[in-house]
Amino acid sequence: MWWPGTYTWARRPSLWSRLTKGLGERGERLLSKGMTPEQSLEIAQRVLVEAVQKHGPDDRFTVNAMWEVAQRLDHAGRQGEALILRQQIVERMRAHLGEEDLETLSAEQRLAASLMKNHRSPEARPLLEHVVRQRTRLLGCDHPQTVSAMQWLDRAQGQAGDQ
């Protein structure tokens, strides 16, 4: 079940503490003292498994947990796996929120950034073009989110020219 409402991705930092609340003494110790990328990834993966079991694969809580795993995969040097997970996140958001939803557009921009980080700028360009078009239509050309997408598109075009 997809949760309706005004939840935004900007609230994700507090989500991590809520996600890890039930991890017991070891989880609390790791969170308070810092942890390696691998330890952080292990916790995020356990939270994702629990989210799928409790809420189902398409629930907003599960998608947020997927995002946390993707972040931690990146930090652990496993960018290819993170990229695949981000693609799945965007697909789920498009299916449940629509292609014109602002949260979906933000996820698409983050996916494009991940593609660029993995030297796949030609794949990032159509995503960013879509984000720029939709944000311009929905928010206007001077909105900070639109300007940010335009800047990413410029970078993608520059990188694609270098390849």
Side-chain angles (χ1 to χ4, degrees):
M1 175 177 140
W2 198 262
W3 297 345
T6 58
Y7 181 87
T8 63
W9 289 95
R11 296 186 197 165
R12 269 188 285 113
S14 64
L15 175 69
W16 179 243
S17 60
R18 285 188 322 182
L19 289 173
T20 56
K21 195 182 267 184
L23 294 177
E25 185 181 317
R26 180 171 183 257
E28 296 292 325
R29 190 173 61 250
L30 290 171
L31 289 174
S32 66
K33 293 185 179 181
M35 60 186 100
T36 67
E38 293 78 18
Q39 290 169 323
S40 177
L41 175 58
E42 177 189 333
I43 290 172
Q45 288 171 326
R46 281 194 285 161
V47 169
L48 176 56
V49 167
E50 290 175 21
V52 170
Q53 291 171 348
K54 184 173 182 179
H55 303 287
D58 293 328
D59 187 81
R60 189 173 287 237
F61 191 86
T62 302
V63 173
N64 287 326
M66 290 171 68
W67 179 257
E68 295 296 337
V69 170
Q71 290 292 96
R72 280 146 184 81
L73 283 166
D74 259 344
H75 293 190
R78 295 163 61 179
Q79 287 82 16
E81 292 172 75
L83 183 58
I84 292 168
L85 199 51
R86 286 191 178 103
Q87 289 168 329
Q88 293 172 358
I89 291 167
V90 167
E91 289 169 11
R92 288 182 184 178
M93 292 183 78
R94 283 178 181 156
H96 293 285
L97 297 175
E99 291 194 17
E100 297 180 357
D101 179 80
L102 293 174
E103 289 183 39
T104 301
L105 295 172
S106 292
E108 288 176 348
Q109 183 172 329
R110 287 189 299 272
L111 172 59
S114 188
L115 285 164
M116 290 169 60
K117 191 191 295 187
N118 285 279
H119 311 289
R120 295 168 62 178
S121 294
E123 294 173 63
R125 281 184 60 194
L127 270 175
L128 289 167
E129 289 168 352
H130 170 74
V131 171
V132 168
R133 252 190 329 274
Q134 294 303 325
R135 283 188 176 160
T136 299
R137 189 176 64 75
L138 297 167
L139 302 172
C141 62
D142 294 331
H143 191 278
Q145 290 181 6
T146 306
V147 171
S148 172
M150 289 176 181
Q151 291 169 338
W152 276 102
L153 179 58
D154 285 345
R155 286 186 212 133
Q157 290 170 334
Q159 283 184 6
D162 293 341
Q163 294 177 351

